[in-house]
């Protein structure tokens, strides 16, 4: 047997059995048999050693071998090309894209951030405190002793009795914690969630949000309080907004007041929001009670301070005419969507 025939018979079974697992396998095959230094080239080189009388047959044999290699290669190459095409997603890139639904910030968050940024502009920093609070920080230190009637103003959720732990009923508890732990002067706002044992209705909820403000320094007066709140209101509701203060009572402030703003809906002529009075109440405030200062070893002869507490739901209701408190926690997308982009 000639060396040419010997080599062809050696490789033929391998080629017939060839099953590439990947395009890379097929490429290896191509290089090995059809490459510039491949076996087909080497074997063809044997032709010159074939005696002249056998050359015709040998030529045909070599040709058949070459066809076998090329046909094998071509068949698999087509198969891989078709596979790649089939795997490719049949996307029509000229179609409009499917929109990704946009989330929105919750209206209470929108308003809370706005409150924070307004007060930050006049030097307040943000402080937070725990929602589960002890009696001292939620009541006693705020000049509300055990039998103080003012405790009835707020229906409290008790987490435990003796010692008393409560879900804080107001963010004034954070005021107490700040007075206890921070050096003077203090100028903070304390946003957060508060809890009260109320039957849920359009006008009451068992949890809601407040933002407390506290400023303690030498020579802080009621005029400073009015000025800060006036600044807040005109930034929040517009430069034309009017304010008025009504005397009120809170155990932790003396004197105390409630502040109303001119109705932003009817401008004062009378509507449902202002119950036809032209005014809407937005917060409670006052000068920090000397007893409270003493509770935290702050000398009321040297330092004075003001405090205020506003309801975030209330501000949001006025600003966006939300008339039912329950909407804030129902997670109804139709409600939330209306705040998109704000
Ligand atoms: N803590 C009061 C409440 O929840 C709100 C309040 C009123 C806070 C007057 C104050 C204040 O700091 O001075 O009803």
């Amino acid at each position: 047997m000639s060396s040419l025939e010997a080599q062809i018979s050696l490789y033929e079974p391998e080629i017939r059995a060839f099953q590439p697992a990947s395009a890379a396998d097929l490429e290896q095959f191509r290089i090995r048999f059809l490459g510039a230094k491949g076996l087909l080239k080497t074997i063809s080189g044997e032709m010159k050693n074939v005696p002249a009388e056998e050359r015709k047959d040998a030529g045909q044999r070599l040709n058949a071998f070459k066809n076998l290699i090329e046909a094998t290669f071509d068949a698999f190459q087509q198969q891989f090309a078709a596979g790649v095409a089939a795997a490719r997603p049949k996307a029509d890139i000229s179609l409009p894209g499917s929109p990704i639904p946009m989330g929105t910030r919750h209206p209470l968050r929108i308003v809370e951030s706005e409150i924070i940024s307004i007060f930050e502009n006049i030097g307040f920093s943000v402080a937070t405190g725990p929602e589960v609070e002890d009696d001292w920080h939620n009541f006693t230190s705020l000049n509300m002793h055990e039998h103080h009637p003012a405790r009835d103003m707020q229906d409290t959720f008790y987490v435990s009795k003796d010692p008393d732990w409560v879900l804080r009923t107001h963010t004034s508890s954070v005021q107490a914690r700040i007075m206890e732990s921070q050096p003077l002067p203090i100028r903070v706002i304390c946003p957060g969630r508060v809890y009260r044992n109320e039957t849920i209705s359009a006008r009451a909820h068992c949890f809601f949000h407040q933002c407390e403000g506290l400023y303690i320094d030498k020579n802080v007066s009621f005029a400073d309080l009015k000025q800060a709140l006036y600044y807040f209101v005109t930034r929040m509701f517009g430069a034309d907004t009017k304010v008025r203060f009504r005397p009120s009572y809170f155990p932790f402030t003396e004197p105390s007041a409630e502040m109303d703003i001119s109705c932003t809906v009817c401008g004062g002529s009378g509507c449902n929001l202002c119950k036809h009075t032209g005014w809407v109440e937005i917060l409670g405030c006052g000068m920090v009670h000397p007893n409270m200062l003493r509770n935290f070893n702050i000398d009321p002869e040297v330092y004075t301070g003001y405090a205020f507490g506003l309801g975030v739901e209330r501000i949001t209701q006025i600003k966006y005419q939300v008339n039912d408190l329950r909407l804030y926690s129902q997670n109804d997308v139709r409600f939330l969507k209306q705040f998109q982009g704000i």
Side-chain angles (χ1 to χ4, degrees):
M1 204 203 301
S2 71
S3 162
L4 181 118
E5 175 55 34
Q7 292 202 48
I8 289 176
S9 333
L10 178 67
Y11 291 113
E12 255 177 348
E14 184 189 331
I15 294 162
R16 285 188 208 286
F18 177 60
Q19 275 299 339
S22 64
D25 280 356
L26 185 60
E27 176 63 1
Q28 285 290 318
F29 174 91
R30 190 192 62 76
I31 293 166
R32 181 162 142 81
F33 288 101
L34 298 170
K37 293 179 185 159
L39 285 163
L40 186 62
K41 252 266 159 63
T42 320
I43 296 169
S44 305
E46 295 288 334
M47 273 301 275
K48 62 181 183 300
N49 303 324
V50 175
E53 64 282 13
E54 291 173 24
R55 220 165 254 177
K56 191 170 168 230
D57 286 349
Q60 283 174 357
R61 182 78 175 100
L62 183 64
N63 223 16
F65 181 61
K66 178 174 169 249
N67 288 343
L68 173 68
I69 298 171
E70 286 178 345
T72 306
F73 175 76
D74 286 349
F76 284 120
Q77 196 185 36
Q78 273 176 23
Q79 201 172 307
F80 278 118
V84 170
R88 207 179 288 140
K90 290 186 186 64
D92 179 351
I93 56 166
S94 65
L95 288 173
S98 33
I100 301 165
M102 267 257 280
T104 64
R105 284 198 300 162
H106 192 279
L108 293 175
R109 278 279 177 248
I110 295 171
V111 169
E112 186 191 76
S113 320
E114 199 172 343
I115 295 169
I116 291 172
S117 89
I118 294 173
F119 281 107
E120 275 178 345
N121 272 328
I122 49 172
F124 284 76
S125 47
V126 175
T128 53
E131 291 184 12
V132 177
E133 193 51 283
D134 56 24
D135 178 273
W136 170 253
H137 293 100
N138 195 76
F139 292 124
T140 307
S141 70
L142 295 163
N143 208 25
M144 295 162 93
H145 298 285
E146 197 184 344
H147 300 295
H148 198 293
R151 288 197 183 203
D152 294 344
M153 284 159 65
Q154 304 175 351
D155 297 309
T156 309
F157 282 119
Y158 283 85
V159 174
S160 74
K161 272 291 209 183
D162 262 346
D164 288 357
W165 285 85
V166 302
L167 295 183
R168 68 179 177 198
T169 57
H170 52 183
T171 44
S172 304
S173 59
V174 188
Q175 238 194 75
R177 287 190 172 270
I178 295 298
M179 285 164 81
E180 170 183 79
S181 62
Q182 288 195 7
L184 297 164
I186 289 169
R187 183 148 46 182
V188 290
I189 44 165
C190 321
R193 180 174 287 184
V194 302
Y195 300 84
R196 291 195 200 169
N197 192 354
E198 302 251 13
T199 308
I200 297 171
S201 71
R203 257 162 278 113
H205 211 292
C206 59
F207 67 80
F208 51 98
H209 300 79
Q210 291 188 330
C211 186
E212 193 81 8
L214 175 69
Y215 177 33
I216 303 178
D217 202 348
K218 291 174 179 156
N219 300 318
V220 176
S221 71
F222 204 95
D224 297 317
L225 169 64
K226 284 174 93 170
Q227 189 53 46
L229 292 178
Y230 184 64
Y231 172 75
F232 163 70
V233 160
T234 48
R235 283 279 313 271
M236 181 60 94
F237 296 108
D240 304 337
T241 319
K242 296 184 190 59
V243 297
R244 75 174 184 190
F245 289 80
R246 283 178 290 104
S248 184
Y249 172 76
F250 298 101
F252 29 87
T253 43
E254 182 58 38
S256 304
E258 278 166 282
M259 188 177 89
D260 301 338
I261 60 169
S262 51
C263 184
T264 52
V265 171
C266 65
S269 57
C271 68
N272 278 344
L273 176 68
C274 62
K275 301 198 188 81
H276 301 278
T277 62
W279 295 94
V280 286
E281 182 198 322
I282 67 159
L283 55 80
C285 60
M287 300 305 291
V288 179
H289 198 293
N291 286 351
M292 194 179 165
L293 295 172
R294 276 185 216 104
N295 282 339
F296 295 103
N297 299 319
I298 299 169
D299 184 350
E301 301 301 322
V302 182
Y303 286 96
T304 49
Y306 65 67
F308 57 87
L310 51 86
V312 181
E313 276 81 352
R314 181 74 173 144
I315 306 282
T316 313
Q317 178 200 12
I318 297 168
K319 193 147 172 141
Y320 297 110
Q321 273 98 68
V322 179
N323 291 323
D324 189 330
L325 275 177
R326 292 168 293 195
L327 287 167
Y328 293 121
S329 49
Q330 279 166 341
N331 283 339
D332 187 329
V333 179
R334 291 167 302 178
F335 170 68
L336 299 171
K337 255 186 166 171
Q338 298 175 50
F339 298 89
Q340 211 151 48
I342 300 181

